[in-house]
Amino acid sequence: MRPGREYDGNPAHLWAHPPVAAAQRYITAMGGVDAAVGIARQAFDEGDYRWAVEVLNHVLFADEDHIPARALQADALEQLGFGAENGTWRNAFLSGAHELRHGRFGTPTTAAAPDIMAALTVEQVFAGIGVRIDGPRAWDEHIVLSWVLTDEERTHVLEVRNGALNQRVADAPAPGSTTFTLTRPVLISLLTGARELPAALAEGSVSVDGDPADLGRLVDLLAPVDPDFAIVTA
């Protein structure tokens, strides 16, 4: 199954080539890059912007620096944006067009901004950490952390094993785990780097039963965040 695509029950979608490999094969089947761009140009002229965008998407994954393809894809995305009644769709189409013409412009907000983090549940915060785990580096690691949230009267257990992070709500800390007792705001400040663990320990806002260095081991397994990633050719 192609990464990022949910399986819909069609076995043809179960083990598809990833985007670049698939694009190269599509372009070869169409007779090459220039022929594919010609197909997209005809679709654009006929007002079939959706087909033009799909064809050009394969072209750009096969050759992201193809100038005529980038220009035509920007024009096609712009037309789709002009016709979109849904604001989210319109923004996505026009952002793609802008990126193709002017380059990447990054994320206009900070994912770890206090107001955003305050609106998330603890489960959502842990899920955000989970997607950042560097699987290959974490493969041989086994880390179990328990978080006793005194203000929510709940215990969450995080476990890194086989290169993935899993979370669960438990009745008590996991046996043998390093256990942190704290409030939800302190938890978020620790996980976002707004507060250092030694300082939190010193001021008494968190207590630890076990090895506090286990938190550092978890943090070391997180892949860096790139707010300037490409949305059209990524």
Side-chain angles (χ1 to χ4, degrees), residues 45 67 147:
D45 293 340
I67 295 177
W147 305 85

Side-chain angles (χ1 to χ4, degrees), residues 60 64 69-75 77 95-104 232-233:
L60 292 177
E64 66 178 81
R70 293 178 70 92
L72 184 56
Q73 181 74 315
D75 290 343
L77 288 172
S95 293
H98 186 279
E99 178 182 284
L100 288 166
R101 290 171 177 152
H102 307 291
R104 292 176 289 184
V232 176
T233 57

Side-chain angles (χ1 to χ4, degrees), residues 14-189:
L14 186 58
W15 195 28
H17 285 291
V20 172
Q24 293 169 341
R25 288 161 171 78
Y26 274 109
I27 297 309
T28 298
M30 291 181 187
V33 171
D34 293 336
V37 172
I39 293 171
R41 168 60 65 184
Q42 181 178 350
F44 182 91
D45 293 340
E46 293 173 353
D48 191 352
Y49 306 120
R50 294 163 65 189
W51 178 236
V53 163
E54 183 167 346
V55 172
L56 291 166
N57 187 58
H58 291 306
V59 173
L60 292 177
F61 267 92
D63 181 4
E64 66 178 81
D65 296 321
H66 194 282
I67 295 177
R70 293 178 70 92
L72 184 56
Q73 181 74 315
D75 290 343
L77 288 172
E78 189 171 63
Q79 290 302 313
L80 289 175
F82 290 161
E85 296 181 1
N86 181 305
T88 302
W89 285 27
R90 181 175 62 252
N91 291 342
F93 289 137
L94 297 182
S95 293
H98 186 279
E99 178 182 284
L100 288 166
R101 290 171 177 152
H102 307 291
R104 292 176 289 184
F105 53 89
T107 302
T109 187
T110 301
D115 55 341
I116 294 178
M117 299 303 297
L120 299 179
T121 64
V122 173
E123 288 86 352
Q124 288 173 325
V125 173
F126 286 149
I129 294 174
V131 300
R132 291 183 56 196
I133 292 291
D134 186 330
R137 285 203 299 122
W139 185 258
D140 295 324
E141 296 285 348
H142 186 205
I143 305 171
V144 183
L145 305 177
S146 296
W147 305 85
V148 179
L149 301 185
T150 56
D151 53 342
E152 294 190 355
E153 298 183 345
R154 301 180 77 191
T155 297
H156 297 261
V157 177
L158 291 184
E159 182 171 9
V160 175
R161 179 175 248 174
N162 296 332
L165 183 144
N166 293 291
Q167 62 166 308
R168 63 184 183 274
V169 176
D171 295 330
S177 68
T178 295
T179 301
F180 298 84
T181 301
L182 67 179
T183 63
R184 178 179 174 277
V186 174
L187 166 67
I188 291 176
S189 67

